[in-house]
């Protein structure tokens, strides 16, 4: 699906889904609540469109990752950075 096709479906679900990646003109990844993402996938399957559930441990690139940001920032601040 294109980003333009997916975005209207995200408006109905509030903050529980977001576009995680645009991998190509018709290849969009959504991330967030599993049930809402499944509903979006079902919408496109009803249109005979290909969908694939990614096997990941977390809803990366979504608001589900927000709770870890403070700890991540504290840890990153303790590191010493160098040129590669």
């Amino acid at each position: 699906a294109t980003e333009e096709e997916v975005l209207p479906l995200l408006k109905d679900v509030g903050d529980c889904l977001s576009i995680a990646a645009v991998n190509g003109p018709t290849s969009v990844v959504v991330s967030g609540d599993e049930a809402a993402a499944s509903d979006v996938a079902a919408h496109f399957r009803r249109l005979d469109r290909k969908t694939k559930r990614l096997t990941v441990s977390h809803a990366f690139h979504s608001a589900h990752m927000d709770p870890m940001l403070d700890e991540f920032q504290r840890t990153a601040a303790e590191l010493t950075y160098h040129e590669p």
Side-chain angles (χ1 to χ4, degrees):
T2 67
E3 188 173 6
E4 292 76 23
E5 290 175 302
V6 173
L7 282 173
L9 301 174
L10 303 186
K11 291 179 182 176
D12 295 336
V13 294
D15 291 337
C16 71
L17 278 183
S18 59
I19 291 183
V22 178
N23 292 331
T26 59
S27 180
V28 174
V29 178
V30 296
S31 182
D33 289 357
E34 184 175 0
S38 293
D39 290 344
V40 170
H43 167 82
F44 286 105
R45 283 194 303 276
R46 285 190 297 274
L47 299 174
D48 291 325
R49 305 286 286 281
K50 180 182 171 186
T51 67
K52 179 181 179 181
R53 186 185 189 287
L54 300 178
T55 305
V56 294
S57 61
H58 294 76
F60 295 106
H61 303 291
S62 78
H64 286 279
M65 299 305 294
D66 290 352
M68 59 77 63
L69 291 176
D70 289 338
E71 182 179 349
F72 181 79
Q73 184 177 11
R74 284 191 300 276
T75 300
E78 295 174 2
L79 301 175
T80 302
Y81 295 90
H82 301 280
E83 290 288 325

